[in-house]
Amino acid sequence: MVGLLISAAATAINGGWATLLRREGRRLRSPALLADARHLMADVVTSLGVLAGVGAVALTGRLWLDPLIAALTAVNILWSGWYLMRESVGGLMDEAVEPGLLARIRTAVSASAEGAIEAHDLRTRHAGRLTFIEFHLVVPGSLSVDDAHVICDRIEAALKAEIEGATITIHVEPEGKAKHHGVLVL
């Protein structure tokens, strides 16, 4: 019984630590902290599975409950491992941002690009805490470089206000390069 109580206390501490790591990992957009939180939470679930299996057998006398709960715990470990691998590979492969964030990017560009004609060839990717945003901005051919730069600065400020850690590259093109697709900003 003492061993089970010590295990339960350690599990509670690990659960709190995993929760803290997950919260800070999301806040800091840190894949390493989020991976650590998931790993630690898998340990918590494993410990809870052991406690549940031993407790279920002790309370009911049905020995088959322990291996059943152990199998369910193993499935959770496999799922957590798969998720960690998928997230790691996504980060290494410069995965594009999720659709919700992409919509926010498009909205920010459209709302702040007054004076431009369109934005096209939008590309995004994550690398750790950074979000890279690249696109072409089509402006009237008669617009001065200074005026085009003002539009770009306004778009960059809007994107940086919307997305922490945004690194933005805008390629300015004259109106003859318009593709008539992408983000219309007229």
Side-chain angles (χ1 to χ4, degrees):
M1 188 53 109
V2 172
L4 290 176
L5 290 175
I6 291 171
S7 181
T11 299
I13 292 168
N14 282 342
W17 185 244
T19 302
L20 177 67
L21 285 173
R22 183 178 31 224
R23 185 179 70 227
E24 290 301 303
R26 285 181 180 155
R27 184 179 69 79
L28 297 171
R29 295 179 55 199
S30 168
L33 289 178
L34 290 170
D36 240 8
R38 182 165 287 280
H39 169 254
L40 199 53
M41 193 53 77
D43 288 347
V44 168
V45 170
T46 301
S47 296
L48 289 174
V50 168
L51 291 170
V54 170
V57 170
L59 290 174
T60 66
R62 296 184 180 161
L63 297 177
W64 58 268
L65 287 173
D66 188 40
L68 174 65
I69 293 172
L72 293 173
T73 301
V75 168
N76 179 67
I77 291 169
L78 291 172
W79 175 254
S80 292
W82 167 254
Y83 185 84
L84 281 171
M85 282 183 14
R86 188 187 124 1
E87 288 295 308
S88 296
V89 168
L92 293 172
M93 300 301 288
D94 288 340
E95 197 169 56
V97 300
E98 61 276 359
L101 182 55
L102 182 58
R104 288 175 36 212
I105 291 169
R106 288 177 175 275
T107 299
V109 169
S110 179
S112 61
E114 182 181 338
I117 297 169
E118 76 176 19
H120 60 248
D121 294 344
L122 175 64
R123 288 185 287 283
T124 63
R125 64 185 174 90
H126 282 298
R129 296 175 58 183
L130 300 177
T131 300
F132 291 91
I133 304 166
E134 302 172 9
F135 60 92
H136 296 192
L137 184 70
V138 180
V139 299
S142 61
L143 203 64
S144 72
V145 173
D146 283 340
D147 291 338
H149 194 267
V150 167
I151 296 170
C152 290
D153 284 346
R154 192 171 55 237
I155 294 170
E156 287 178 9
L159 287 169
K160 287 182 178 186
E162 183 70 26
I163 300 147
E164 185 180 341
T167 299
I168 303 139
T169 303
I170 304 172
H171 176 79
V172 177
E173 297 182 330
E175 60 193 301
K177 298 286 187 169
K179 293 184 178 181
H180 304 293
H181 72 276
V183 180
L184 290 178
V185 292
L186 286 175

